[in-house]
Amino acid sequence: MILQVKGGKTVGSPDAQRLAGVLHGGDAALAGLIVMEISPGRRKNIEDIMENHGEAVFGGIKYPRMQLLTVAEMLEGKRFNTPPVRGKQPSIQGRL
């Protein structure tokens, strides 16, 4: 999983597009964006972009290829939706 961390309030669509480029240009199946804080409007825009990048399937279970969490969500215990084990290469569904 590729992780990108952004601290400013101006995180937006271009950041998600750059992360998608890194995801599709590398060997990772999943990417996560961690932000300090984000407005609801910007969050929706980023999540819409992320949704368009499809899913990875591990052991028959689908996981979003791109995901977003805030630091506050992580401190509350929320985590990226990832498979519990490593090893097998996923099948990729969606736009490549």
Side-chain angles (χ1 to χ4, degrees):
M1 179 172 210
I2 297 169
L3 295 176
Q4 180 179 24
V5 180
K6 292 288 185 182
K9 292 182 181 182
T10 59
V11 65
S13 300
D15 298 301
Q17 294 290 6
R18 281 190 292 277
L19 181 58
V22 172
L23 174 64
H24 294 296
D27 292 331
L30 304 173
L33 178 60
I34 300 170
V35 298
M36 183 60 86
E37 58 184 293
I38 190 168
S39 71
R42 286 181 189 262
R43 183 179 195 122
K44 178 166 179 6
N45 289 343
I46 289 174
E47 287 177 340
D48 287 346
I49 289 168
M50 290 180 163
E51 188 175 311
N52 288 329
H53 290 280
E55 300 169 321
V57 180
F58 293 87
I61 300 171
K62 296 178 181 179
Y63 298 90
R65 287 200 74 201
M66 296 183 69
Q67 301 172 46
L68 170 69
L69 285 176
T70 65
V71 171
E73 290 169 335
M74 293 180 82
L75 292 173
E76 292 169 0
K78 190 168 182 183
R79 298 291 178 250
F80 289 111
N81 184 10
T82 62
V85 295
R86 301 183 331 161
K88 187 176 179 183
Q89 289 287 19
S91 63
I92 307 299
Q93 298 178 352
R95 199 185 91 172
L96 295 178

